[in-house]
Amino acid sequence: MRKAKWVAAAAGVVLLVAGCGGEGGSDKGGSSSAGSAATGGSGGGGGERLDGAAVTKELTDAATGAGFTQDASGEQIPAEAKDCMVSWTADGEKAKDPAKSYTDTVATLTKGGWTEERSSGQGGSVIKSLKKSSWQLQASNHSAGPLKLVMFVAVDGGPECAAAIAGANKVTPSS
């Protein structure tokens, strides 16, 4: 049951990411030369191919370098989607200043080639959408209140991964 909930949530993230593409002309991803030049040649549509392990390493390096430790009780990615999705939840209670660590993590990721596409904030929460290659990353900071929740969820938007996530989301009836 827990796996089904995670896959359903992941599918929601995929839909959210897919829906954030080109509304209002603010889509800065793609293969724009400005994005690629600003990020050392690895911008939104760069030729490199990232996998789940590479994204996990980038997230882990950026987040731990900014003062976060990973929350060991975070959700596990289903096996069929592990190359297509990454979830990294910070232990916000252990961070000295979760908001600063979040900002520093995002800054490190953008220096590493992730392009910030949009940002929104409300009630002390901030959500930033970043892109690198075919990956979309939602960086969420909800640490302004008593709950210290900071998480990073990345999804590969490529066709193989869309099919893998859709397949993982199918619920088989129990006999």
Side-chain angles (χ1 to χ4, degrees):
M1 184 65 145
R2 186 176 180 142
K3 177 181 173 182
K5 287 181 185 178
W6 170 250
V7 174
V13 169
V14 169
L15 293 174
L16 173 68
V17 168
C20 289
E23 286 184 20
S26 62
D27 185 7
K28 296 185 227 167
S31 58
S32 74
S33 58
S36 295
T39 57
S42 57
E48 69 186 78
R49 180 73 180 140
L50 293 175
D51 62 8
V55 172
T56 299
K57 179 173 179 4
E58 287 186 31
L59 275 171
T60 300
D61 291 350
T64 57
F68 283 128
T69 56
Q70 190 168 12
D71 185 350
S73 65
E75 292 286 340
Q76 298 297 313
I77 305 285
E80 54 272 5
K82 72 177 184 162
D83 289 331
C84 300
M85 298 172 50
V86 173
S87 177
W88 203 101
T89 303
D91 188 337
E93 298 295 328
K94 291 183 181 176
K96 185 175 182 179
D97 183 350
K100 181 179 181 331
S101 293
Y102 169 82
T103 300
D104 291 350
T105 301
V106 171
T108 299
L109 290 169
T110 56
K111 287 177 189 169
W114 290 85
T115 304
E116 186 175 329
E117 296 194 311
R118 59 179 70 245
S119 179
S120 63
Q122 184 175 354
S125 292
V126 177
I127 300 173
K128 294 183 182 273
S129 177
L130 299 109
K131 182 171 179 68
K132 184 174 185 181
S133 186
S134 61
W135 286 81
Q136 283 285 156
L137 170 67
Q138 298 296 316
S140 305
N141 175 19
H142 311 284
S143 65
L147 177 66
K148 307 293 184 213
L149 177 63
V150 178
M151 64 186 302
F152 305 90
V153 178
V155 179
D156 185 341
E160 303 87 19
C161 284
I165 292 169
N169 201 28
K170 288 184 183 174
V171 178
T172 55
S174 53
S175 321

